[in-house]
Amino acid sequence: HVRSRRQRQMCIRDRARALTRVIGCAARAGRAARGAQGGRVSVWKLDPTGRLSAVCTHQRSGTITHAVYKPSRAKSAASAIASGFAVAEQPPFYFANDGGAICIADDMGNCNDTVSLGMPLAAMLFYSAKEHLVVLTRALVMAQYRAEPGGKMTQVMKVKLSVSGGSDVGVTGCAWLSDGHLATASAEGIVRVWDLADEDNYVLQLNDEAGALANERALSIAYNPAKKLLAVGTNGGRIA
């Protein structure tokens, strides 16, 4: 078992001709999209035995920096058996290069250019409740796009984010707290939470009883939805 796993890993490495920069996954559908330097995006399929096999590739310019799948919608077991397909559909995914050009693609070889922001992205996420693509740029711009028929994208919101304390590094980390509430870190002494449904925001202050976090800045974020806990990594090497 160990040997076969190593062989599969070596095969994957050998077939990767460029440095991997990002991987987007659709766990329910058993798909993964790998973006690399040189603009190549490879789509992989996971079979029931845990083996990965290449499905297709897409090619664009620049370096691929972000990839995110549109969450798949589960089909009923009866409809899946009747149609002969898996219970989960094979969803499309979005990827972006280092110039801010965003494409929508699938594992059938289809790939369409959608939006060009003209600036590199800091994050790209999918807002499931509204079926919007959410992007944050390094220049502190947040935008939402709605998918239209034919692979087109319509901008539904765009706002310039503000940061305090002289931070000029942009968004350094983000995580969904719920569907519509996005937490971001920007090297400040706070975490900002954006309510995308109501277009509002509020802040969470970094503090503790001992005052150890008073002069530290939030850089990274992770959220545990099961326990509803938000973890924040700081520039001082602490987890708040």
Side-chain angles (χ1 to χ4, degrees):
H1 176 71
V2 174
R3 185 175 182 181
S4 63
R5 181 189 302 171
R6 288 177 178 172
Q7 289 174 339
R8 291 198 297 270
Q9 291 173 341
M10 290 176 62
C11 179
I12 292 172
R13 285 197 298 267
D14 290 342
R15 298 186 69 168
R17 299 180 179 179
L19 181 64
T20 298
R21 297 302 300 269
V22 65
I23 295 178
C25 297
R28 179 178 291 175
R31 293 292 190 275
R34 165 193 168 274
Q37 287 182 345
R40 172 167 294 201
V41 177
S42 304
V43 181
W44 300 82
K45 176 175 65 175
L46 183 69
D47 68 21
T49 67
R51 296 179 179 176
L52 283 171
S53 58
V55 177
C56 68
T57 61
H58 304 286
Q59 184 68 49
R60 286 297 186 269
S61 62
T63 295
I64 307 304
T65 58
H66 295 81
V68 61
Y69 270 89
K70 177 181 178 181
S72 60
R73 297 180 181 276
K75 300 178 181 178
S76 69
S79 112
I81 293 172
S83 65
F85 292 103
V87 173
E89 67 180 6
Q90 309 309 326
F93 64 95
Y94 300 88
F95 65 89
N97 68 8
D98 52 359
I102 301 174
C103 300
I104 183 171
D106 59 25
D107 60 6
M108 301 297 291
N110 301 307
C111 183
N112 294 318
D113 300 318
T114 59
V115 177
S116 182
L117 299 174
M119 62 185 80
L121 304 188
M124 184 169 70
L125 312 96
F126 198 81
Y127 181 8
S128 299
K130 294 289 186 70
E131 296 207 338
H132 289 174
L133 186 70
V134 179
V135 297
L136 296 95
T137 74
R138 294 184 188 173
L140 294 172
V141 173
M142 178 190 290
Q144 289 187 54
Y145 296 91
R146 180 179 62 244
E148 305 288 359
K152 302 297 182 181
M153 303 287 287
T154 298
Q155 181 178 292
V156 295
M157 185 273 280
K158 184 177 182 180
V159 62
K160 176 72 173 180
L161 308 182
S162 62
V163 298
S164 61
S167 173
D168 59 357
V169 299
V171 175
T172 58
C174 63
W176 286 117
L177 303 186
S178 65
D179 203 1
H181 288 81
L182 180 65
T184 62
S186 303
E188 303 173 274
I190 59 175
V191 171
R192 297 180 184 270
V193 180
W194 306 90
D195 183 345
L196 301 184
D198 295 331
E199 297 187 7
D200 196 4
N201 69 89
Y202 56 93
V203 300
L204 303 175
Q205 191 75 38
L206 286 183
N207 56 50
D208 61 345
E209 293 182 359
L213 299 173
N215 297 315
E216 298 198 6
R217 301 290 179 260
L219 296 179
S220 58
I221 298 177
Y223 183 67
N224 183 332
K227 296 186 176 181
K228 297 183 178 180
L229 294 177
L230 177 67
V232 180
T234 74
N235 61 329
R238 303 176 192 273
I239 302 295

